[in-house]
Amino acid sequence: MQQVFRCLYRLGTFGFLAGDEVNRFGSLNAGLQDQQLALYWVQQYIHLFGGDPSRVTIGGESAGGGSVMLQSMAYGGSLGTQLFNNVFASSPYLPQQYDYRAFVPEQAYYAFAQAAGCLTGPYGNTNQSVFACLQAGDSATLINASASVSEEGVYGTWAFVPVTGPAGSFVQELPSQQLLQAKVNGKVVLSGNNANEGYPFVPKGVTTEDEAIAYLKLLFPFFSEDNLNTVLAAYKYDTGPNATLYATAGDSGDTANDISSVASGPHQQIAQIYSETTFVCPSYWLAEAFIASGGAGYKYQFSVPPATHGADVAAYFGNGYTSDFSQAFQTALGTLIIDNKPSFPSQVANGLSTSNTSFNPASDWPVFSMQSELMIDLNTTCTDFVTSAAGVPTCQGADNLNEIREVDAYSWEGGRGARCELWRSLYQVVPE
């Protein structure tokens, strides 16, 4: 019997306040520890619901996907399969992950304390620590202070996110570096990304190179001019801000550095940079790590236009896309849970309504490794579009046919694999 449990955990300052005082008097990454406590609960009680504690699959999307990734890295990957066997990480969110004592989290800590009145104001008290003052604060004050600090940050970023802790703590290393060492919990991972993850997170109206560069300098505050020039060279584009928009094929023609169904020119460039550094490359690194650890890693991209961040959720919950497409996506997730490998019969990949039973290579889902970076591209023919509430053309018409195929993830979109290697090499200035 398959059982589904949802995990609630603390967010903002309640779940991810960091700094030296938090480490000394409280708990770093408390939100992640909430999740792990829930996993221990599942191990203890799942048999009462007809479940098998040795066959647990954890999954999440966006921050949930990032949480799943960090659970698979917990305590240096030393937990093995104690808490789960399989991992599903959809668009795993990896913001820049600073050391808990670094300037950025310490600055956020004291900005939060200031907003909560623990440095000056009615709650300020020189006879107690800042942390003790925060502990004494009421929830409404702390919630408003947390929101206030986050609102002042760089567009597309949040002030309170996971941090790297000291030796022996829950999160001990940067994900890019720990995953390179294949130190993971669990045995099987299915990780994926959407084609245009970054679009919702970057400023709208960027039309010039100077505007793009100004944003990148804010997003990556420790970049040198050489770092910036290296990244800009890796994300060169050939389209202008007013180009006709369309979805790229991925393995031919223009690339996502140039254009997408939602942006072009310098706007698309910064969206692509945000997309790959924050969501896409982590999904690559995660799949590679599970293969290198002796387990199994599988990879996909959700490409149905506009394929912006979060657009895939409706597909695997069976809402808003053709039944053929949702059935294929749901079948892959179901077989991951039941058979420890994502797969679907050729007829399901082709679309049951088409009665096409010809062999589809995607039905034998390839493993994803550094030697053979193959993934499944989940797409449809997109002959029918509807316009979303945000005015974005969205491929959700009833006549769209499945276009699911096996592709080379390394050369995808003009060399995405090489760009992910570049981001991993920049870990000292872009801590991920």
Side-chain angles (χ1 to χ4, degrees):
M1 178 183 298
Q2 303 301 314
Q3 301 292 339
V4 177
F5 299 92
R6 290 187 176 181
C7 173
L8 300 178
Y9 59 98
R10 286 168 286 180
L11 298 172
T13 53
F14 294 96
F16 296 101
L17 187 64
D20 184 60
E21 282 201 342
V22 176
N23 182 57
R24 286 191 288 129
F25 303 123
S27 295
L28 300 170
N29 300 311
L32 296 173
Q33 296 191 58
D34 289 344
Q35 297 168 6
Q36 189 169 86
L37 181 63
L39 293 174
Y40 276 109
W41 185 93
V42 168
Q43 286 294 310
Q44 186 171 357
Y45 295 110
I46 194 173
H47 70 282
L48 299 178
F49 298 86
D52 183 345
S54 69
R55 294 174 56 82
V56 172
T57 297
I58 62 173
E61 184 267 344
S62 190
S67 294
V68 163
M69 177 177 67
L70 292 175
Q71 292 295 337
S72 75
M73 296 171 49
Y75 297 103
S78 62
L79 301 181
T81 56
Q82 292 179 42
L83 297 178
F84 52 85
N85 192 66
N86 297 336
V87 172
F88 169 53
S90 169
S91 306
Y93 174 55
L94 178 56
Q96 295 179 63
Q97 182 178 294
Y98 294 96
D99 182 89
Y100 72 100
R101 298 161 301 182
F103 173 76
V104 171
E106 286 282 10
Q107 184 184 48
Y109 177 75
Y110 285 105
F112 170 61
Q114 175 71 35
C118 284
L119 295 184
T120 60
Y123 295 100
N125 186 338
T126 56
N127 295 320
Q128 65 179 176
S129 70
V130 171
F131 190 83
C133 174
L134 291 171
Q135 284 184 305
D138 63 88
S139 295
T141 297
L142 298 179
I143 290 170
N144 289 334
S146 178
S148 175
V149 175
S150 289
E151 288 169 358
E152 294 173 359
V154 176
Y155 195 104
T157 67
W158 283 261
F160 305 105
V161 293
V163 294
T164 303
S169 62
F170 188 98
V171 179
Q172 301 175 10
E173 296 184 67
L174 294 174
S176 65
Q177 304 308 301
Q178 181 174 329
L179 295 175
L180 183 61
Q181 301 170 67
K183 297 190 295 187
V184 292
N185 305 312
K187 294 297 294 182
V188 181
V189 66
L190 172 61
S191 66
N193 63 269
N194 294 359
N196 297 310
E197 299 274 13
Y199 175 76
F201 300 97
V202 298
K204 304 303 179 283
V206 172
T207 59
T208 69
E209 182 177 355
D210 286 345
E211 290 172 335
I213 290 174
Y215 172 69
L216 293 176
K217 287 181 176 179
L218 291 175
L219 187 63
F220 305 116
F222 300 111
F223 260 10
S224 67
E225 284 299 314
D226 284 345
N227 296 147
L228 179 61
N229 291 332
T230 297
V231 167
L232 291 174
Y235 289 88
K236 290 187 295 186
Y237 58 89
D238 297 318
T239 58
N242 299 314
T244 301
L245 305 181
Y246 64 93
T248 58
D251 51 4
S252 63
D254 289 333
T255 76
N257 289 350
D258 299 299
I259 200 161
S260 71
S261 60
V262 290
S264 65
H267 189 188
Q268 176 62 20
Q269 181 191 46
I270 60 173
Q272 173 76 331
I273 289 172
Y274 191 106
S275 176
E276 292 191 345
T277 186
T278 311
F279 298 105
V280 178
C281 293
S283 76
Y284 276 52
W285 300 334
L286 188 58
E288 290 172 353
F290 272 74
I291 287 287
S293 73
Y298 302 93
K299 179 82 180 65
Y300 72 86
Q301 175 169 296
F302 174 86
S303 298
V304 182
T308 50
H309 184 70
D312 57 321
V313 176
Y316 46 77
F317 282 113
N319 177 30
Y321 293 88
T322 64
S323 58
D324 278 351
F325 186 79
S326 286
Q327 182 163 23
F329 209 153
Q330 291 170 341
T331 299
L333 295 181
T335 55
L336 170 71
I337 294 168
I338 296 170
D339 301 325
N340 304 318
K341 177 184 178 180
S343 65
F344 29 51
S346 289
Q347 189 171 355
V348 172
N350 297 332
L352 285 177
S353 68
T354 66
S355 300
N356 179 2
T357 60
S358 61
F359 175 69
N360 187 327
S363 63
D364 184 18
W365 204 302
V367 294
F368 185 90
S369 69
M370 297 179 104
Q371 292 74 37
S372 178
E373 292 194 349
L374 299 175
M375 69 177 180
I376 301 302
D377 185 42
L378 300 171
N379 205 347
T380 65
T381 54
C382 295
T383 56
D384 293 341
F385 285 84
V386 298
T387 301
S388 71
V392 176
T394 303
C395 179
Q396 291 185 343
D399 295 330
N400 298 318
L401 302 177
N402 284 7
E403 191 173 0
I404 296 176
R405 58 197 180 107
E406 178 184 299
V407 299
D408 183 339
Y410 193 87
S411 62
W412 192 249
E413 295 292 10
R416 179 167 279 168
R419 293 194 296 271
C420 287
E421 291 176 3
L422 169 63
W423 286 115
R424 179 135 58 186
S425 74
L426 292 173
Y427 72 94
Q428 291 181 322
V429 290
V430 184
E432 295 184 319

